[in-house]
Every structure is written in structure tokens, then in C-alpha cells.
Amino acid sequence: MTLPPAPATLIDASGEPQCGRYAGLADAFDWARLAPPHARASLWRLFHHKRWHHVALATPELFCAVAIIDLGWASTAFAYAFDRRKGKFVASFSRDGVPGLSASVAPHAAAGSRFRFLSQAIDIEAAPQQRYRLRLACGHFGIDAEFGPPVSPMLLAVGPVPGGSVHATQKSGGLPLWGTVRCGAIGYSLDDGVASFDYSNGLLPRETEWRWASAHGLDIGFNLQAGYFGAQENALWLDGQLYPLARAHFDFNPDNPLSPWHVWTDDDLLDLHFRPEGARRADRNLWLAASRHIQPIGTFSGWVRASANAPKRIVAQLAGVTENHRSRW
């Protein structure tokens, strides 16, 4: 099954969201144009409009993640570098910003996002020919990376959210990667690695939770989510093609997330076992908001296929992450 091309704008002339799954990039996420029953007052949108830009960088030696998050009334960013051979984090960064000043999340996935706090800076920039640049300068932790162009179509998913209004997300498949990471006096090469990114933008409920899994090579990759967005963003990238996937299941022990995970889809197109190597944890309880987040880093093994009649494609130790997340925001 192939996906239709992405519409240029997510809202049609009558104010209706163009719900569905598409291949390609959209260049307008303007929720103020929504018509009833999806329309919301500007004050409601201020507190419920959530945007984030997440980039993953993977090599046999290192796994890095960088995220810039705009909650509407607050902003935050985090980044880490995990040495896969040593089995430990070698650098990390997390900082809340000044609302409206520190973070600027892109209006769409083909634009740039930035975070600033004193001398700390993160920039995710779009370059010509669908290439991207990531620059991070946070004390002893630095990243100078470039990635792209895509070797397979990007996913665009648009749909309603119970308790909220409408949400949309863009996910990339695997992107050619090169550059360097600096962790104190230690340097790592990103050359011949694989990058991927997640750009999400929507009007979400006060209480939001999800389970997520993502891993990418240049010829194979996937994105799975179970929670607030249903099966909308479930997708498989295989040999340059993009295929939608059905509802995903996550079998894991929330009390011991570093034990093995099992993920699979209802359409019998994906069945994978995940073995964690380490995990980023963030539990926060603030006056207005709270979150509980754990993102294990590790490898997926098992099989995928493009259709129920296609032969199974073996997946062996594909680097990626899972996530269990709950927010009151």
C-alpha cells in the first residue's frame, strides 16, 4: 500500500484538517484556521499547543538524541550522548528555558529550531536540497553534524486527538550522517552513521501519554506509537519505500524498563524484540505540570515485511530507542 502525496497545507479552505497518512513534507501547520468542531479559542491554544523537534544520531559506537520542546507556556531542551561500547552516557544536557525567549520550534519540518540559555545553544537547521544541520554547544558537550538528503519519503500523519483537537507529525526515515561529537576531551566521529528526526505539532490534551519505538538504517527503519495518537504515525521504511503499519503493541515491564521489550503490529508486518543498553530518565513534578519519561537506548532484532504476502526481512541489532512517557502539561 502506497501513501498519497502530502498536501501543502494541513487545513483545507473550509477549515477542516486533512486527516490521514501521507508521503512528503507539509509547509503549513496553522491551527488558528481550524473550523468547528476542531476550532479552539486562542487562550486554549496557548496552553494546549505543543511542538517538538527531536533528532537521533546513531553509529556503531555512539547514540545521541537532541530535542527542543515548546509547550506554549514554557520551553525545554535536552540532549545526550550514549557510548554503546562502554554502555554508559558520556555527555548529557537538560535545561528549561524562558517562555517565549529560549526556544523557537520550527513552524514546519523543513524549517529550523533553536534553543538558547546563556552560553548554551542548540540549532537544528534546514539546508538546501533537503539536508539538515545540527549544532550543539553546551559546555563540554558539543555536536557538529550534517545529515540528508532523504533516501525514502517522509511520513506526514494528521488526525484528531481525544481530549485535545488535532495533531500532526512528520517522521523521517534513515538519513546519511556525518560530523563529530565532543564529550569533554573525547571526540567521536559520526561519519557513515544514520540520522532521523521527529517533528510534531498539535493541540494536545492536558493529560497525554504514549509508548514509542523508533530505529533506522538507510535501507530499513520504522516508527511505532501507542497512546494519544493511535496508529496514525506507525510506519515502515524498506528499501526506499514507505509503508503504513497498523496498531502497535508494546510488551514490557514498566517497573524494569531495562528488561527486554517486545513490539509488534496487528497487520503481521512487524515483530521485533528490543534489548536495552541504557536509558535516559526524567521524572518531574512542577506546580503546573508533571512528566514521567524513560527512553531506553538499545537494539531491535526480529523481522519486518512490506505486505502480508511478502517474505520476512530479518532485522539484526538495529540501533534505536523505545520510550514510555506520561505528561500533565
Side-chain angles (χ1 to χ4, degrees):
M1 175 181 176
T2 59
L3 295 175
T9 177
L10 304 188
I11 313 299
D12 68 17
S14 65
E16 283 293 311
Q18 302 204 56
C19 297
R21 287 188 277 189
Y22 307 92
L25 286 167
D27 59 11
F29 288 64
D30 186 5
W31 304 125
R33 295 180 50 238
L34 285 168
H38 303 290
R40 299 292 186 272
S42 57
L43 183 61
W44 190 97
R45 293 200 310 272
L46 173 64
F47 285 94
H48 291 264
H49 190 185
K50 316 300 178 187
R51 294 182 292 173
W52 60 88
H53 210 157
H54 181 282
V55 177
L57 312 174
T59 73
E61 186 177 18
L62 196 70
F63 190 94
C64 297
V66 178
I68 302 173
I69 303 148
D70 182 350
L71 301 177
W73 50 271
S75 61
T76 189
F78 73 82
Y80 64 75
F82 181 79
D83 188 314
R84 300 181 57 209
R85 292 174 178 167
K86 296 178 180 177
K88 68 177 185 178
F89 290 91
V90 288
S92 65
F93 167 81
S94 180
R95 177 73 68 183
D96 294 328
V98 179
L101 295 176
S102 294
S104 173
V105 175
H108 53 81
S113 301
R114 68 172 183 84
F115 183 85
R116 296 288 186 276
F117 191 92
L118 301 176
S119 62
Q120 298 159 335
I122 303 173
D123 290 280
I124 303 169
E125 302 171 345
Q129 300 179 329
Q130 292 194 45
R131 295 177 182 268
Y132 303 87
R133 303 177 68 184
L134 171 61
R135 302 288 185 269
L136 180 146
C138 298
H140 297 296
F141 184 17
I143 299 176
D144 186 353
E146 296 189 27
F147 45 96
V151 296
S152 54
M154 293 191 186
L155 171 72
L156 170 66
V158 187
V161 179
S165 178
V166 181
H167 182 70
T169 187
Q170 298 258 207
K171 314 286 187 183
S172 79
L175 304 166
L177 169 66
W178 62 98
T180 57
V181 175
R182 174 179 51 82
C183 304
I186 302 174
Y188 297 86
S189 173
L190 296 173
D191 294 355
D192 299 321
V194 178
S196 60
F197 72 78
D198 165 2
Y199 172 82
S200 294
N201 185 325
L203 302 173
L204 300 184
R206 175 99 165 107
E207 304 275 350
T208 306
E209 64 177 280
W210 65 79
R211 274 76 57 208
W212 178 54
S214 175
H216 294 279
L218 295 182
D219 60 343
I220 190 169
F222 63 88
N223 185 88
L224 301 174
Q225 193 259 172
Y228 75 99
F229 207 29
Q232 286 281 74
E233 64 181 58
N234 295 345
L236 170 68
W237 287 263
L238 191 61
D239 298 328
Q241 300 298 314
L242 171 62
Y243 302 95
L245 295 174
R247 184 177 63 162
H249 299 269
F250 290 72
D251 184 8
F252 71 105
N253 181 354
D255 296 323
N256 183 18
L258 290 178
S259 61
W261 296 47
H262 181 204
V263 295
W264 71 97
T265 55
D266 279 346
D267 49 18
D268 200 31
L269 300 187
L270 179 149
D271 193 305
L272 297 168
H273 292 269
F274 176 71
R275 184 170 296 278
E277 299 170 351
R280 177 186 185 267
R281 303 170 185 260
D283 292 336
R284 311 183 68 187
N285 192 353
L286 306 176
W287 177 56
L288 286 176
S291 67
R292 185 172 186 180
H293 161 104
I294 183 162
Q295 187 179 88
I297 305 106
T299 58
F300 293 87
S301 297
W303 57 265
V304 298
R305 56 184 171 181
S307 70
N309 297 320
K312 294 177 180 178
R313 178 77 160 268
I314 298 301
V315 177
Q317 296 184 329
L318 184 64
V321 297
T322 55
E323 185 172 279
N324 189 24
H325 185 107
R326 174 176 294 179
S327 286
R328 185 178 73 250
W329 52 10

